[in-house]
Amino acid sequence: MGQAIGPCADRNGICFLNSDLSSGGDPKRAARAIDALRRGWSIRIEHEGEIIRIAAVETAVSVLGASSLLLSASRAATLKLVNQRAAANTELPVRIAIPADFDIGMALAIADPTLDLRYPLKGPFLAQPATGAPACVAAMELARLAGLLPAFLVLDVDLSTDDIVVPADVCAFDDSDNLQIAARANLPVAANADTEIVAFRSPADSTDHVALVIGKRDSSPPVVRLHSECLTGDVLGSLKCDCGPQLHEALHQISDAQWGILLYLRQEGRGIGLINKLRAYALQDQGFDTVDANTRLGFAIDARDFSVAARMLDLLGVHSVRLLTNNPEKVAGLQAEGVEVCERLPLQIASNPHNAQYLATKRDRTGHAL
Ligand SMILES: Nc1nc2c(ncn2[C@@H]2O[C@H](COP(=O)(O)OP(=O)(O)OP(=O)(O)O)[C@@H](O)[C@H]2O)c(=O)[nH]1
Ligand SMILES: [Zn+2]
């Protein structure tokens, strides 16, 4: 199976660089940094006394004050940085000196793989010696959380009052420990009128997940489906994936069982967000499969973390489930969080000419039982 290059191969890349970083962070600072990056404002990341000041290439208005570019390891590999192996650990984000006549258009062409066919002649670029790895990995994770391309202008550090963040803040950001039930109400749905919707909120993260509790609860393990959001498939009827039909089939299968729960997880694009997923689609239009498209953008093949699903089930008082999925990572992810998966139930959907390749890639490269 192909693997993403670098710490992005694991969505908790920052935390595995140094396990001390995974506790004690302040999610508020990460939230402010994410907001600033989306608005095109610079932020500072501090680690052990060293500070880097960065702005996202995608939202920056100018390259004024930029001294280098910070790119994901996989983007650096695509750009064929001649000395990457010597100058930097190939697993880590890479800094390159900014080329002559540099402007924001050129920065975007370097940052965005979907523009490679339009601007094929870039470089040669040289990787700079690696420094400040935890801060650089934290920057990559902030880009994912902000739904931005993982590419930054590294700016001169000045006396600015930019928001400051430390890697541990980023680790703390989507921690589901403090998730709570915020609202619940009856919601008759087409598959079953006897359904309740339960909404969850975490003070750390602005994403609201929901559960549909279907049918009459009893003491048997419920049929449970973890469904990750797919705007294009769930709402717009996209034929490129199997999400929409899987969502409806799951609701019917749960309804046919005694009782069950559908968790609708706001993990669009397997955790990279809508805009980056659409960039992955643009790369698929150029011939890359779903796995290589994610990697080429600089993200993990699958950036989801199912601990939030385990916490939702816990809040619903469910500790043992019959899981509707073809994805072994979902089974392992729930079990790792202490949920007993007493049975895996397949969820097979007939393919169409537009998603046959996508389904084959799931089977051949990400281990789905299809
Ligand atoms: N990055 C990316 N995400 C995609 C692509 N196609 C679909 N998705 C996302 O993939 C997710 C599909 O999730 P699920 O159906 O819950 O999970 P699964 O991994 O297919 O596993 P199953 O339980 O077997 O269906 C959704 O978040 C979609 O938005 C793609 O080409 N690229
Ligand atoms: Zn989909």
Side-chain angles (χ1 to χ4, degrees):
M1 177 176 126
Q3 288 295 323
I5 301 164
C8 291
D10 175 350
R11 64 168 295 287
N12 288 319
I14 320 153
C15 312
F16 81 58
L17 272 178
N18 178 346
S19 56
D20 293 349
L21 299 179
S22 58
S23 61
D26 180 354
K28 270 192 297 208
R29 284 197 299 234
R32 285 195 201 106
I34 290 163
D35 184 54
L37 292 171
R38 287 177 61 91
R39 291 172 193 269
W41 300 338
S42 51
I43 61 160
R44 290 173 296 162
I45 308 182
E46 193 256 312
H47 182 65
E48 290 178 351
E50 263 188 65
I51 295 181
I52 55 167
R53 184 170 166 237
I54 56 168
V57 169
E58 198 183 330
T59 51
V61 282
S62 93
V63 298
L64 208 68
S67 53
S68 59
L69 278 170
L70 178 65
L71 304 172
S72 70
S74 53
R75 185 64 183 144
T78 304
L79 292 171
K80 302 208 169 12
L81 300 190
V82 280
N83 64 337
Q84 186 190 354
R85 200 164 289 276
N89 179 336
T90 50
E91 301 267 295
L92 294 174
V94 173
R95 280 165 78 156
I96 59 172
I98 58 172
D101 305 327
F102 191 62
D103 61 20
I104 199 72
M106 194 181 290
L108 259 181
I110 295 171
D112 186 349
T114 67
L115 301 177
D116 283 352
L117 292 182
R118 206 179 316 160
Y119 304 105
L121 294 175
K122 294 186 283 279
F125 302 114
L126 287 183
Q128 295 177 337
T131 54
C136 295
V137 176
M140 299 293 128
E141 180 68 355
L142 284 170
R144 182 187 76 78
L145 291 164
L148 296 165
L149 282 170
F152 293 92
L153 299 168
V154 181
L155 306 165
D156 301 328
V157 178
D158 59 12
L159 296 175
S160 68
T161 52
D162 293 343
D163 285 318
I164 192 153
V165 72
V166 298
D169 300 336
V170 184
C171 289
F173 180 70
D174 56 4
D175 184 349
S176 57
D177 285 357
N178 295 317
L179 196 76
Q180 296 294 341
I181 291 177
R184 54 200 307 165
N186 289 325
L187 186 78
V189 296
N192 191 327
D194 185 13
T195 296
E196 184 189 25
I197 186 165
V198 184
F200 298 79
R201 182 186 283 149
S202 152
D205 170 358
S206 58
T207 318
D208 301 330
H209 304 283
V210 298
L212 290 184
V213 182
I214 299 171
K216 288 269 167 294
R217 184 172 184 143
D218 63 23
S219 58
S220 65
V223 174
V224 168
R225 170 73 183 155
L226 273 49
H227 183 91
S228 299
E229 179 173 19
C230 176
L231 177 80
T232 44
D234 300 343
V235 181
L236 304 177
S238 162
L239 300 173
K240 265 182 79 71
C241 60
D242 55 352
C243 303
Q246 273 192 328
L247 175 60
H248 296 288
E249 177 62 23
L251 289 170
H252 285 287
Q253 287 197 27
I254 294 170
S255 182
D256 289 346
Q258 200 64 17
W259 76 291
I261 300 171
L262 181 126
L263 301 183
Y264 193 86
L265 306 169
R266 313 300 297 280
Q267 303 171 323
E268 175 61 76
R270 296 197 298 263
I272 66 173
L274 178 64
I275 290 173
N276 282 323
K277 181 180 84 168
L278 299 183
R279 292 189 169 116
Y281 281 3
L283 289 172
Q284 288 162 34
D285 290 342
Q286 295 173 19
F288 296 100
D289 70 19
T290 177
V291 165
D292 289 336
N294 260 42
T295 309
R296 240 178 141 77
L297 285 167
F299 296 111
I301 296 165
D302 192 334
R304 289 174 292 181
D305 172 354
F306 296 110
S307 61
V308 70
R311 175 77 185 138
M312 289 164 79
L313 290 170
D314 185 37
L315 289 168
L316 293 170
V318 169
H319 304 105
S320 178
V321 302
R322 300 167 66 208
L323 193 65
L324 258 180
T325 186
N326 310 314
N327 184 350
E329 295 289 326
K330 286 187 182 173
V331 177
L334 281 188
Q335 281 173 332
E337 297 293 328
V339 178
E340 185 195 10
V341 180
C342 56
E343 193 180 354
R344 181 186 75 79
L345 305 167
L347 186 59
Q348 310 278 7
I349 302 293
S351 68
N352 71 57
H354 303 277
N355 70 10
Q357 192 56 45
Y358 171 73
L359 296 177
T361 304
K362 287 218 268 190
R363 183 193 62 219
D364 299 339
R365 299 197 65 188
T366 55
H368 283 66
L370 288 170

